[in-house]
Amino acid sequence: MNLNLFIMNAGHHEAAWRHPDTEPHSITDIRYFQRLAQTAEQAKFDSLFLADGLAINKNIKHGAFVGLEPFTLLSALAAVTERIGLIGTVSTTYNEPFHVARKFASLDHISNGRAGWNIVTSGSEFEANNFNKDTHLAHSKRYTRAREFLQVTTSLWDSWEDDAIIIDRASGAFADNGKVHEINHVGDEFKVRGPLNTPRSPQGYPVLVQAGSSEDGKEFAAQYAEAIFTAQQTLAEAQKFYADVKSRLAKYGRHPEQLKILPGICPIIGRTESEAIEKEQELNELTVPEYGLNQLSTMLKMDLFNYPLDGPLPELPGVDEINGNKSRYQLVADLAKRDNLTIRQLIHRLAGGRGHRTFAGTAIQVADQLEEWFTQGGSDGFNVMPPYLPGGLEEFAQHVIPELQRRGLFRTEYAGRTLRDHFGLPRPVNSFSIRSSSTFKEVIV
Amino acid sequence: MNLNLFIMNAGHHEAAWRHPDTEPHSITDIRYFQRLAQTAEQAKFDSLFLADGLAINKNIKHGAFVGLEPFTLLSALAAVTERIGLIGTVSTTYNEPFHVARKFASLDHISNGRAGWNIVTSGSEFEANNFNKDTHLAHSKRYTRAREFLQVTTSLWDSWEDDAIIIDRASGAFADNGKVHEINHVGDEFKVRGPLNTPRSPQGYPVLVQAGSSEDGKEFAAQYAEAIFTAQQTLAEAQKFYADVKSRLAKYGRHPEQLKILPGICPIIGRTESEAIEKEQELNELTVPEYGLNQLSTMLKMDLFNYPLDGPLPELPGVDEINGNKSRYQLVADLAKRDNLTIRQLIHRLAGGRGHRTFAGTAIQVADQLEEWFTQGGSDGFNVMPPYLPGGLEEFAQHVIPELQRRGLFRTEYAGRTLRDHFGLPRPVNSFSIRSSSTFKEVIV
Ligand SMILES: Cc1cc2nc3c(=O)[nH]c(=O)nc-3n(C[C@H](O)[C@H](O)[C@H](O)COP(=O)(O)O)c2cc1C
Ligand SMILES: Cc1cc2nc3c(=O)[nH]c(=O)nc-3n(C[C@H](O)[C@H](O)[C@H](O)COP(=O)(O)O)c2cc1C
């Protein structure tokens, strides 16, 4: 079972920062994140993951997703950890492939092969407004760009063959000209000559992670992703998603094991079940309705401020009108309908994990849930989203992980060194090494 | 006296990687750079600096400027150092201000106020070709863009007032809406709404560093820069540059002390003068003529491969035809003429510091030189460029710095915590705090 720790400032519950055991003043303090990373590494998590957005998209009065730029943070964490994978989010919509290829190659060198890239296409108009654009690129256009973006970055990572560096002091030969290649990419979105100015990194490519669950998202994942983060509320839905995505890989010449599916779980752990449920209620009571309404209105692209909190959701727009996060929209709409929730109840249900599954129980019960999903074709592992930090991580590390280890479901020691080792993923073959090098232009003299 | 350490892979001499005491295999190894950073910090350097280019612009057979992306590296170094400033190069021509503002704010948080930004406009066609462009933006256009870029980044750094974060758990107040501002920048190059999604950092802005010496470059520096790296061959030239740049500050309402001028020095240190000169010769003899010719041809925008190595330089194009590094072109052309050098002699003269001053002598002689330039109006300090690493740094730290300390010219302990403290620079006042907040739109609800 693969376990990724999704770190979110004071925790994933939207009221985490109001909880007495969290440290919201530390969200710009590297020592706070160092402690979290080291705790996760001691617990043998495969990886830790940082999300990212490129704008503040709401009223920050009652909390907001702000803080350190995640890639900068990951590199600092690489310097103080040894084994744990480091997955960072970078958008293909508001970046250039040369920069992105280079910084992931560098992080992979610095961490000795522990880099992972959560590839996102960004979802909000507010992000567009910080990058010279009035409107957000359409959903399908974003995925078209993402696909070309991946073509360019993978070529750039291959532009240095593994044995290109010679360093023969006597003859003065530094590198083998014939093993460093221009890529000469010319496409609709990008024109990039290459080669990269960073030699090929330990993993070849960072582990490619993706988190879209729409049709376009799943197809993109089937082609490129090696791990998927996804929000699934029930085992049946998770099984359906799992079978669906895995079945798409063959078309791209890939094996089902080359893609790990990791649904999110926000575990609220108590010594007894009732203690766990009380904890959840305590957190829910700390939420500010105005904040939850704002979140929900953004998610559903509908202003909910004029509807009674204790009444039902109004009629929603169709999913075709959603240009943001299509799959999350669908999940929330389905959840409200299925469980017949009022707006307030829905806000509470989403407070823990923004649509990810929240589960309150004892460590044994949490382990039972994870085992069930894992053994019943619902997942290859989990994206663990502690509701509050650092406590929620410490409880998971101290009580759930040992239980999973006792059941033989989770490692007790790291077997390998790289994130690819942890996930059991192959190192990508260099596309230039396998073709006749004579068909490629050498670097200019 | 302010001392910055300019770290360049195996060292600044172009043949450094062939020298038996260097570690060219370590240029992608974080431990190598950690050792350098820690040595520099023990020696009480104000800062360390990493240059950057966005392409390989030559034959890599005999060496090339390749390796880790510097910003990623700096963040990893922030995690293992405490006091030394960390200056990274980022180009305004091939980046977006939102990303750049955010990553420097993050590095400044992570390092507790030690970030510096070497603002460059990039100089080569090869870089353009990695970013969707066929040709390089004209020199003056690059500076126009740089100026607007700085307007946007400084506004973004100010978009959070220092006391915007409240974190009152009881009332649920996370931040003060009235102290987080949209910037609504609309210009020729950029349209950026803001606010930044990273709170204001310890230094307010990173220390702003600049390294252009052309007319446009000096004017830009006078407006924005707080430190200048520059290549000056003689004290007379340095004095002229110093007086010229300092005199331009008043126009922008700034004091001469608000800008530190740091000429480069590549010190080759021996126990005796003749040992130092032998060292220099040894290094020069390791250069590969083909490599030096390539470098020189690029610098002078002229193919020199068909001219005899032991003959004079041919007639050069005028400086107006140079769209790259105008000031370096001028320096090299003047140097060849003044000292009546053959092409081979010129290559050797440039091998140490690519146009920066190289000085071979004892530690006492090096200290004498630094003292003379510093006390005679040639500089506020130096950009120290060891010819080979780690040895050239260790010699400087063990022999030159103690001599400067004995003379009362350099600190024996860090007095402050931030890079602004080390350089004696003020923390920028927040432009939003000083204007009536009512004239600015608040963050949307
Ligand atoms: C666990 C998880 C983490 C995500 N992290 C980010 C993120 O950091 N930044 C982002 O813009 N989107 C993030 N997303 C959103 C996805 O990238 C994607 O936009 C979203 O799932 C909608 O995709 P779809 O429109 O294909 O359904 C995340 C999604 C999940 C499930
Ligand atoms: C010490 C020093 C370091 C520099 N570092 C970089 C660098 O890392 N990247 C870059 O593109 N240019 C770098 N430059 C070049 C300058 O940014 C600038 O382009 C150059 O000095 C020419 O400027 P000018 O055309 O205004 O004379 C550096 C210059 C100096 C003196």
Side-chain angles (χ1 to χ4, degrees), chain A residues 154-228:
Chain A
T154 53
S155 299
L156 286 170
W157 289 318
D158 286 344
S159 65
W160 285 68
E161 297 189 35
D162 285 313
D163 54 354
I165 290 188
I166 302 172
I167 306 198
D168 179 17
R169 282 179 160 137
S171 71
F174 180 81
D176 183 344
N177 238 15
K179 293 189 171 168
V180 182
H181 307 275
E182 292 186 0
I183 69 164
N184 292 311
H185 175 93
V186 181
D188 292 336
E189 294 278 340
F190 305 111
K191 189 164 173 190
V192 180
R193 179 180 194 165
L196 203 61
N197 50 359
T198 301
R200 202 159 194 260
S201 73
Q203 294 190 114
Y205 308 168
V207 172
L208 302 176
V209 183
Q210 206 267 349
S213 295
S214 63
E215 264 306 300
D216 277 339
K218 284 187 283 198
E219 210 51 40
F220 177 82
Q223 185 175 359
Y224 282 112
E226 301 174 295
I228 290 191

Side-chain angles (χ1 to χ4, degrees), chain B residues 35-170:
Chain B
R35 261 189 295 137
L36 294 175
Q38 286 163 350
T39 303
E41 187 166 68
Q42 277 152 22
K44 319 295 174 205
F45 272 90
D46 292 77
S47 49
L48 62 83
F49 157 60
L50 300 171
D52 193 33
L54 299 170
I56 296 176
N57 62 359
K58 55 174 159 282
N59 190 331
I60 56 156
K61 236 188 220 159
H62 304 296
F65 180 31
V66 295
L68 300 172
E69 193 282 313
F71 194 87
T72 310
L73 175 52
L74 276 192
S75 185
L77 294 179
V80 296
T81 51
E82 301 261 312
R83 295 296 191 97
I84 194 165
L86 304 162
I87 303 176
T89 299
V90 174
S91 166
T92 52
T93 301
Y94 300 113
N95 281 289
E96 290 287 333
F98 192 88
H99 286 313
V100 173
R102 200 169 164 230
K103 66 190 201 178
F104 276 104
S106 298
L107 180 64
D108 203 46
H109 279 296
I110 286 173
S111 64
N112 271 311
R114 296 184 286 134
W117 173 17
N118 179 35
I119 306 160
V120 304
T121 64
S122 298
S124 97
E125 209 92 301
F126 295 99
E127 297 178 276
N129 295 164
N130 287 332
F131 294 91
N132 303 340
K133 298 196 173 57
D134 292 325
T135 57
H136 191 42
L137 207 61
H139 191 268
S140 68
K141 278 253 173 82
R142 296 205 303 275
Y143 277 106
T144 309
R145 182 178 159 104
R147 237 171 261 121
E148 193 182 327
F149 202 107
L150 266 284
Q151 273 173 34
V152 179
T153 52
T154 53
S155 299
L156 286 169
W157 288 319
D158 287 343
S159 65
W160 285 67
E161 297 188 34
D162 285 312
D163 54 353
I165 290 188
I166 302 173
I167 307 198
D168 179 18
R169 284 178 160 137

Side-chain angles (χ1 to χ4, degrees), chain A residues 303-314:
Chain A
D303 183 349
L304 296 171
F305 279 81
N306 297 320
Y307 296 88
L309 264 174
D310 294 309
L313 271 185

Side-chain angles (χ1 to χ4, degrees), chain A residues 258-278:
Chain A
Q258 285 177 271
L259 171 60
K260 306 297 170 187
I261 298 184
L262 309 174
I265 175 89
C266 177
I268 304 179
I269 304 163
R271 274 164 302 184
T272 60
E273 186 177 338
S274 60
E275 189 187 74
I277 291 171
E278 267 164 44

Side-chain angles (χ1 to χ4, degrees), chain A residues 22-41:
Chain A
T22 60
E23 307 170 23
H25 279 287
S26 301
I27 62 169
T28 49
D29 186 344
I30 179 69
R31 288 166 304 180
Y32 170 70
F33 292 100
Q34 278 182 4
R35 262 189 294 140
L36 294 174
Q38 287 164 349
T39 303
E41 186 166 70

Side-chain angles (χ1 to χ4, degrees), chain B residues 6 49-54 65 89-91 118-123 127 139 142-143 210-218 229-231 262 264 323-328 354 356 383 385:
Chain B
F6 183 174
F49 157 60
L50 300 171
D52 193 33
L54 299 170
F65 180 31
T89 299
V90 174
S91 166
N118 179 35
I119 306 160
V120 304
T121 64
S122 298
E127 297 178 276
H139 191 268
R142 296 205 303 275
Y143 277 106
Q210 206 270 350
S213 297
S214 63
E215 264 305 301
D216 276 340
K218 284 187 281 199
F229 296 140
T230 181
L262 308 173
N323 179 23
N325 188 327
K326 280 187 191 286
S327 50
R328 199 67 59 86
R354 300 177 306 286
H356 286 270
N383 185 23
M385 304 167 54

